[in-house]
Amino acid sequence: AATAILLAIEFVYRGGLLEALALPQARLHEWVLVSLMATAAVIATLTKSRLKALLSLGIVGFGVALIFMFYSAPDLAITQVLVETLTIVLFMLVVYRLPRFRIYSSGMQRIADGVFSLIVGGIITTLILKAQQLQLSSSISETFGELSYAAAKGKNVVNVILVDFRALDTFAEITVLGIAALGVIALVSRRFNRTNERST
């Protein structure tokens, strides 16, 4: 609440709220994808079925991967797909062992929580839209293009950025993929061991 109030005061004090609320330019399939993700998020919030909630969250996660693909970030898309797949598998193994849904809050309290979530989410979304409109310095894309061969001796600018200019970021992504692979191996081996124990 404090964060939302301070951000709202800052928007009112400094202005720029109307510019931030302007709809961003996007293609039709991007709007369709965002609408699908928003619908899935609402279904995950309101449904009483764990399977529907799990599938809805999966739609949101894979939708993020498609957004990465649309904006020419295949490395992030691959990482997102693998991690999202592992997350769904983990949730699927856990979800059937959980007790049934129980409602501990009143209807008015849930409505208040929903309104509060919409307010905070709306302010954070407005802040992100405003940040996209800021250009504090010149773009570095041209600099990367000029230095890719001169400094790194590479003609493929994307590969040079991933391997040389953003080496630590790429290393972090590889680490995430390695952790995901270890998680899959642990799940498969544990299930295989249980199957062997039952057969013996």
Side-chain angles (χ1 to χ4, degrees):
T3 303
I5 292 172
L6 291 174
L7 288 175
I9 293 174
E10 189 70 12
F11 268 116
V12 173
Y13 178 73
R14 295 187 179 275
L17 181 60
L18 296 179
E19 293 82 358
L21 293 178
L23 291 177
Q25 295 181 354
R27 292 165 288 186
L28 177 60
H29 62 275
E30 294 173 349
W31 284 113
V32 172
L33 178 61
V34 170
S35 301
L36 180 63
M37 292 170 60
T39 304
V42 173
I43 293 175
T45 305
L46 300 178
T47 185
K48 295 182 179 180
S49 171
R50 291 194 179 91
L51 184 59
K52 289 182 180 179
L54 184 61
L55 293 176
S56 300
L57 292 176
I59 291 174
V60 175
F62 288 115
V64 173
L66 286 177
I67 290 177
F68 289 151
M69 288 294 297
F70 291 157
Y71 287 91
S72 302
D75 54 330
L76 294 178
I78 293 174
T79 305
Q80 177 70 19
V81 167
L82 293 178
V83 173
E84 189 66 31
T85 303
L86 179 61
T87 303
I88 292 176
V89 172
L90 289 173
F91 280 2
M92 189 68 73
L93 294 175
V94 173
V95 75
Y96 288 107
R97 299 180 179 274
L98 294 176
R100 293 184 177 182
F101 279 120
R102 294 181 181 179
I103 299 176
Y104 294 100
S105 57
S106 62
M108 291 302 297
Q109 185 176 354
R110 293 197 300 273
I111 293 175
D113 292 340
V115 172
F116 177 73
S117 301
L118 290 175
I119 291 174
V120 176
I123 291 177
I124 297 299
T125 302
T126 305
L127 179 65
I128 294 173
L129 293 175
K130 183 62 179 179
Q132 288 182 334
Q133 300 173 3
L134 297 177
Q135 186 69 34
L136 302 179
S137 60
S138 59
S139 177
I140 61 173
S141 58
E142 296 181 0
T143 305
F144 278 157
E146 295 173 357
L147 295 178
S148 63
Y149 187 77
K153 303 296 186 270
K155 295 182 179 180
N156 190 319
V157 180
V158 176
N159 289 343
V160 170
I161 291 174
L162 293 177
V163 176
D164 293 279
F165 298 148
R166 289 176 48 199
L168 290 178
D169 184 57
T170 305
F171 177 74
E173 292 178 3
I174 294 174
T175 303
V176 171
L177 294 179
I179 294 173
L182 291 176
V184 172
I185 293 173
L187 288 174
V188 173
S189 61
R190 186 174 182 180
R191 192 172 185 84
F192 181 75
N193 292 334
R194 285 185 176 180
T195 304
N196 287 340
E197 291 175 1
R198 291 176 182 176
S199 61
T200 56

Short mmCIF file of all heavy atoms in Angstrom, two decimals, residues 65 68-69 73-85 173 177:
data_model
loop_
_atom_site.label_atom_id
_atom_site.label_comp_id
_atom_site.label_asym_id
_atom_site.label_seq_id
_atom_site.Cartn_x
_atom_site.Cartn_y
_atom_site.Cartn_z
N ALA A 65 6.99 -16.67 -22.83
CA ALA A 65 8.01 -17.20 -23.75
C ALA A 65 7.74 -16.75 -25.19
O ALA A 65 8.67 -16.40 -25.93
CB ALA A 65 8.05 -18.72 -23.67
N PHE A 68 8.86 -13.21 -25.63
CA PHE A 68 10.31 -13.17 -25.84
C PHE A 68 10.66 -13.50 -27.29
O PHE A 68 11.55 -12.89 -27.89
CB PHE A 68 11.01 -14.14 -24.90
CG PHE A 68 10.99 -13.73 -23.46
CD1 PHE A 68 11.01 -14.67 -22.45
CD2 PHE A 68 10.96 -12.39 -23.11
CE1 PHE A 68 11.02 -14.29 -21.11
CE2 PHE A 68 10.95 -11.99 -21.79
CZ PHE A 68 10.98 -12.94 -20.79
N MET A 69 9.94 -14.46 -27.88
CA MET A 69 10.19 -14.82 -29.27
C MET A 69 9.82 -13.68 -30.21
O MET A 69 10.54 -13.38 -31.17
CB MET A 69 9.41 -16.08 -29.63
CG MET A 69 9.96 -17.36 -29.01
SD MET A 69 11.59 -17.79 -29.63
CE MET A 69 11.22 -18.06 -31.36
N ALA A 73 14.25 -12.57 -28.73
CA ALA A 73 15.07 -13.03 -27.60
C ALA A 73 14.90 -14.54 -27.46
O ALA A 73 14.29 -15.03 -26.50
CB ALA A 73 14.66 -12.32 -26.32
N PRO A 74 15.42 -15.31 -28.43
CA PRO A 74 15.21 -16.77 -28.38
C PRO A 74 15.87 -17.43 -27.19
O PRO A 74 15.39 -18.46 -26.69
CB PRO A 74 15.82 -17.25 -29.70
CG PRO A 74 16.80 -16.19 -30.09
CD PRO A 74 16.22 -14.90 -29.59
N ASP A 75 17.00 -16.87 -26.70
CA ASP A 75 17.66 -17.48 -25.54
C ASP A 75 16.78 -17.40 -24.30
O ASP A 75 16.63 -18.37 -23.54
CB ASP A 75 19.00 -16.80 -25.30
CG ASP A 75 18.87 -15.29 -25.17
OD1 ASP A 75 17.95 -14.72 -25.80
OD2 ASP A 75 19.67 -14.67 -24.45
N LEU A 76 16.15 -16.24 -24.09
CA LEU A 76 15.24 -16.10 -22.96
C LEU A 76 14.00 -16.98 -23.15
O LEU A 76 13.48 -17.55 -22.18
CB LEU A 76 14.81 -14.64 -22.81
CG LEU A 76 15.90 -13.65 -22.39
CD1 LEU A 76 15.34 -12.24 -22.34
CD2 LEU A 76 16.50 -14.03 -21.06
N ALA A 77 13.53 -17.10 -24.39
CA ALA A 77 12.35 -17.92 -24.66
C ALA A 77 12.61 -19.39 -24.32
O ALA A 77 11.78 -20.05 -23.70
CB ALA A 77 11.93 -17.77 -26.12
N ILE A 78 13.78 -19.89 -24.72
CA ILE A 78 14.12 -21.29 -24.43
C ILE A 78 14.20 -21.51 -22.92
O ILE A 78 13.69 -22.50 -22.38
CB ILE A 78 15.44 -21.66 -25.12
CG1 ILE A 78 15.26 -21.66 -26.64
CG2 ILE A 78 15.92 -23.03 -24.66
CD1 ILE A 78 16.55 -21.86 -27.41
N THR A 79 14.86 -20.57 -22.22
CA THR A 79 14.96 -20.69 -20.77
C THR A 79 13.58 -20.68 -20.12
O THR A 79 13.28 -21.49 -19.23
CB THR A 79 15.81 -19.54 -20.20
OG1 THR A 79 17.09 -19.53 -20.85
CG2 THR A 79 15.99 -19.69 -18.71
N GLN A 80 12.72 -19.78 -20.58
CA GLN A 80 11.37 -19.68 -20.03
C GLN A 80 10.57 -20.95 -20.27
O GLN A 80 9.85 -21.44 -19.38
CB GLN A 80 10.65 -18.47 -20.64
CG GLN A 80 9.21 -18.30 -20.19
CD GLN A 80 9.08 -17.87 -18.76
OE1 GLN A 80 10.04 -17.37 -18.18
NE2 GLN A 80 7.91 -18.05 -18.18
N VAL A 81 10.67 -21.52 -21.47
CA VAL A 81 9.92 -22.74 -21.80
C VAL A 81 10.37 -23.90 -20.92
O VAL A 81 9.54 -24.64 -20.36
CB VAL A 81 10.09 -23.08 -23.29
CG1 VAL A 81 9.58 -24.50 -23.58
CG2 VAL A 81 9.33 -22.09 -24.16
N LEU A 82 11.68 -24.07 -20.76
CA LEU A 82 12.18 -25.19 -19.96
C LEU A 82 11.81 -25.04 -18.48
O LEU A 82 11.36 -25.99 -17.84
CB LEU A 82 13.70 -25.29 -20.12
CG LEU A 82 14.20 -25.69 -21.51
CD1 LEU A 82 15.72 -25.70 -21.55
CD2 LEU A 82 13.66 -27.06 -21.91
N VAL A 83 12.00 -23.84 -17.95
CA VAL A 83 11.67 -23.61 -16.54
C VAL A 83 10.17 -23.74 -16.31
O VAL A 83 9.71 -24.32 -15.31
CB VAL A 83 12.19 -22.24 -16.08
CG1 VAL A 83 11.70 -21.92 -14.67
CG2 VAL A 83 13.71 -22.21 -16.12
N GLU A 84 9.36 -23.23 -17.24
CA GLU A 84 7.91 -23.32 -17.10
C GLU A 84 7.45 -24.77 -17.16
O GLU A 84 6.57 -25.19 -16.40
CB GLU A 84 7.24 -22.50 -18.21
CG GLU A 84 5.74 -22.36 -18.04
CD GLU A 84 5.37 -21.53 -16.83
OE1 GLU A 84 6.15 -20.63 -16.46
OE2 GLU A 84 4.30 -21.79 -16.23
N THR A 85 8.05 -25.55 -18.05
CA THR A 85 7.70 -26.96 -18.14
C THR A 85 8.03 -27.69 -16.85
O THR A 85 7.22 -28.48 -16.33
CB THR A 85 8.44 -27.62 -19.32
OG1 THR A 85 8.12 -26.92 -20.53
CG2 THR A 85 8.04 -29.07 -19.47
N GLU A 173 21.87 -17.70 -17.40
CA GLU A 173 20.83 -18.46 -18.08
C GLU A 173 21.22 -19.94 -18.19
O GLU A 173 20.37 -20.83 -18.01
CB GLU A 173 20.58 -17.87 -19.47
CG GLU A 173 19.94 -16.50 -19.44
CD GLU A 173 19.76 -15.94 -20.84
OE1 GLU A 173 20.08 -16.65 -21.80
OE2 GLU A 173 19.28 -14.80 -20.96
N LEU A 177 19.25 -23.27 -16.72
CA LEU A 177 18.95 -24.47 -17.50
C LEU A 177 19.55 -25.71 -16.85
O LEU A 177 18.94 -26.78 -16.82
CB LEU A 177 19.49 -24.31 -18.92
CG LEU A 177 18.83 -23.22 -19.77
CD1 LEU A 177 19.48 -23.16 -21.15
CD2 LEU A 177 17.35 -23.47 -19.91
#
